[in-house]
Structures are given as C-alpha cells and as structure tokens.
C-alpha cells in the first residue's frame, strides 16, 4: 500500500521541517495517534492492507522525521514486549559518500578554490595555492558501525591507512583498533566522527583530542554536533591548533558559529549527508518491510537490540 506518513523517534536537534514527496515531514512532537494499516490515509497513519494497531499512550518524543535515527513498529522502546527497529543501512551509503566528500573537500580546499574562481581571482591574482593530497593519509574513524565501516572501505580504496575506535573491537574489522579517542587522533591525519551521541560521547572531541590531532590534522563530522566541543573547535581553528574541518552537523542546529563562515579551511554543510530521495525511499521501504514482518509474526528486518 501507499505510505502517507509514519512515526519515528528523532534525534534531539532543533525542530525542523523537511520536504517530502507529498507534503512535509516535521520533527516536532505530534500528538500520539493510532498507526493504521488499511482505510483512509490520514495524518499519523500508514495505509497498507490490513489491521489497525494503536500506539501506546505512554509519553514519549514521537516525531515524523525520515532522518530519525530510530523508527519503531511498536510502542516506545522499553515498553514490555515491544520490538523496535531502526533505519539499518538505509542512510549509511549516502552518509558515507558524503563523509568521504567532506574529507576530499577539506584537504583539497574545494570550496575555497571554487570561490577563488567565481570571484575572478584566478585571472586577477593567479593560481590558487597548492593543497595536500588525500591518498595515503592516516584516517581515524570514531564509530565503526554501518556508516563508519563504509567510510573506512571507501577511504581504504584511496590508499589511506584506516584505524578506528568504538565501544569494543570489531572482530570482523580488518582495521587497527585504537583504545582511546586521543590516541586515535594522535595517530591520524584525518579524524572522522560517525558514532552516536550519548552521555559518554558528548563532547568526546575536546581540546585535548584536537591538540593530539595537530596543526595539520582535519576533523570531519557526519555524526552529531554534540560529539564536538564546538566553542573549543572554533578556538582551535582560530589558533591553528588543527588544520581544518568538514562539518555537516552542529550542536545547536540550525545555528552555526559565525566565526566559521570566513574560514577557508572549513567546509560547512546543513545536515545534508543523508538527505537524498534514494535514502528516504529506502527507509520508507524498510519501515514497510518491518511492519509486514511484525504483523506476519516474522523477525524484523532491522531490529534494535535493547
């Protein structure tokens, strides 16, 4: 059947409106409504073939955003006997592509070089200064999940030496595990953030980590803005403690520290890493498949282990 709207748990970012195929998806918290399978398509419902299944009335932050990190085919996670599902790898491919794009853009100063041409300075002032290469760089990845592992594979194809830090070593990973974020930064030319934001990872990239990354090091964040101590990042960039940054996420979106706007060694993006029609369509199809599996009594396609 056709999906007209669907509920999800969203990140704690500022309320935003995202364009959808037939209207808009809002990340504001709506009044809980039943999930429907069958009947008319209406706000807060899913149109398919069979069954109406009510949401729990338990309070919680339920939001209709296709960019949410977790969606559920059940009452809020934690309710007794309630299976939950997440977006799985639906967003991972596009986010990994974007993360690699930011690495290339910062190291090769693509935004600044383009601005040089657009301003007519190539003809007036001559060539834009040479920039550093991407191939062969040491890349540290914080969070080797669906996104981080794909970033690792892509950058390994550039000939980069990849290492990573996560909650625990990944037995299947062929990259070096580094036990602390500071050590990871100290051994990297590029530090890529692709992990979840939790109490443990909030401001995990602080001044100490940035000093370890060094004056030629580059920070790329496609995870969550709160992973980085943002005021400290601004100071480190101003003081030359780190060499550059590629940022798709910020701590108080859509507000961005204005000091970053004039920095040629910084590439800024408005939380667009996952925002492609393909990734949205893939997520809708995944949610549909999970609901079909749930109502058929089969295992979910992308279950969350609680």
């Amino acid at each position: 059947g056709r999906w007209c709207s669907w509920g999800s748990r969203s990140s704690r970012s500022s309320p935003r409106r995202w364009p959808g195929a037939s209207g808009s998806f809002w990340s504001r918290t709506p009044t809980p409504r039943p999930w429907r399978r069958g009947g008319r398509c209406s706000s807060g419902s899913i149109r398919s073939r069979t069954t109406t299944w009510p949401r729990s009335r338990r309070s919680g932050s339920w939001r209709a955003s296709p960019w949410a990190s977790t969606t559920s085919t059940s009452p809020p996670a934690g309710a007794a006997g309630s299976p939950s599902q997440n977006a799985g790898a639906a967003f991972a491919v596009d986010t990994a592509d974007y993360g690699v794009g930011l690495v290339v853009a910062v190291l090769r100063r693509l935004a600044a070089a383009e601005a040089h041409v657009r301003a007519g300075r190539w003809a007036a002032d001559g060539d834009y200064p040479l920039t550093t290469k991407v191939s062969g760089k040491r890349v540290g990845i914080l969070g080797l999940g669906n996104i981080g592992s794909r970033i690792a594979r892509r950058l390994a194809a550039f000939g980069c030496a990849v290492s990573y830090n996560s909650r625990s070593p990944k037995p299947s990973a062929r990259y070096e595990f580094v036990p602390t974020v500071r050590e990871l930064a100290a051994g990297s030319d590029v530090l890529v953030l692709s992990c979840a934001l939790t109490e443990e990872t909030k401001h995990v990239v602080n001044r100490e980590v940035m000093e370890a990354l060094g004056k030629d090091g580059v920070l790329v964040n496609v995870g969550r803005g709160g992973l980085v101590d943002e005021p400290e990042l601004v100071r480190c960039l101003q003081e030359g403690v780190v060499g550059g940054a590629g940022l798709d996420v910020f701590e108080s979106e859509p507000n961005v520290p204005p000091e970053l706007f004039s920095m040629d060694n910084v590439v800024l993006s408005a939380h667009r890493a996952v925002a492609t029609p393909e990734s949205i369509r893939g997520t809708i199809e995944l949610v549909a498949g999970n609901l079909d599996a749930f109502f058929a009594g089969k295992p979910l396609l992308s279950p969350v282990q609680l």
Side-chain angles (χ1 to χ4, degrees), residues 48-298:
S48 184
R49 290 184 284 280
T50 60
T51 312
T52 297
W53 187 61
R55 282 188 191 168
S56 169
R57 292 184 181 276
R58 166 182 164 174
S59 62
S61 179
W62 286 72
R63 299 170 183 178
S65 169
W67 288 270
S69 59
T70 303
T71 54
S72 176
T73 58
S74 62
S82 59
S84 296
Q85 61 100 31
N86 63 18
F91 292 146
V93 171
D94 290 329
T95 306
D97 290 348
Y98 208 92
V100 173
L102 285 175
V103 171
V104 175
V106 177
L107 289 174
R108 299 306 304 269
R109 301 282 179 91
L110 290 183
E114 192 220 21
H116 182 82
V117 175
R118 286 183 181 275
R121 294 177 57 194
W122 188 12
D125 302 333
D127 293 341
Y128 187 79
L130 295 177
T131 58
T132 189
K133 67 187 298 182
V134 177
S135 299
K137 287 290 188 289
R138 299 170 303 162
V139 178
I141 299 176
L142 180 56
L144 202 72
N146 279 325
I147 295 169
S149 59
R150 285 168 170 80
I151 292 174
R153 290 199 295 271
R154 284 156 172 74
L155 288 173
F158 279 80
C160 294
V162 176
S163 56
Y164 73 99
N165 172 268
S166 62
R167 285 174 293 187
S168 59
K170 308 288 185 183
S172 60
R174 56 190 180 92
Y175 314 110
E176 179 188 0
F177 173 78
V178 181
T180 70
V181 179
R182 188 190 179 285
E183 290 178 67
L184 183 70
S188 301
D189 302 306
V190 180
L191 182 63
V192 180
L193 310 183
S194 59
C195 65
L197 177 62
T198 66
E199 291 182 3
E200 292 75 21
T201 60
K202 183 176 176 62
H203 290 181
V204 67
V205 177
N206 53 24
R207 187 177 182 95
E208 182 183 13
V209 170
M210 288 181 260
E211 287 176 345
L213 185 59
K215 63 182 181 64
D216 296 320
V218 164
L219 176 69
V220 169
N221 191 359
V222 291
R224 290 289 185 269
L227 297 172
V228 179
D229 184 338
E230 210 165 74
E232 203 59 65
L233 173 61
V234 171
R235 284 190 286 272
C236 286
L237 286 164
Q238 291 171 330
E239 297 167 10
V241 174
V242 292
L247 307 172
D248 180 55
V249 288
F250 303 89
E251 193 157 17
S252 300
E253 296 174 0
N255 301 307
V256 176
E259 297 91 341
L260 299 176
F261 297 154
S262 60
M263 296 183 182
D264 286 349
N265 58 338
V266 176
V267 177
L268 304 173
S269 173
H271 207 147
R272 297 285 84 188
V274 302
T276 67
E278 294 88 350
S279 63
I280 296 169
R281 184 163 54 248
T283 302
I284 292 173
E285 290 171 355
L286 180 62
V287 175
N290 273 302
L291 283 169
D292 286 341
F294 176 81
F295 287 110
K298 298 178 181 178

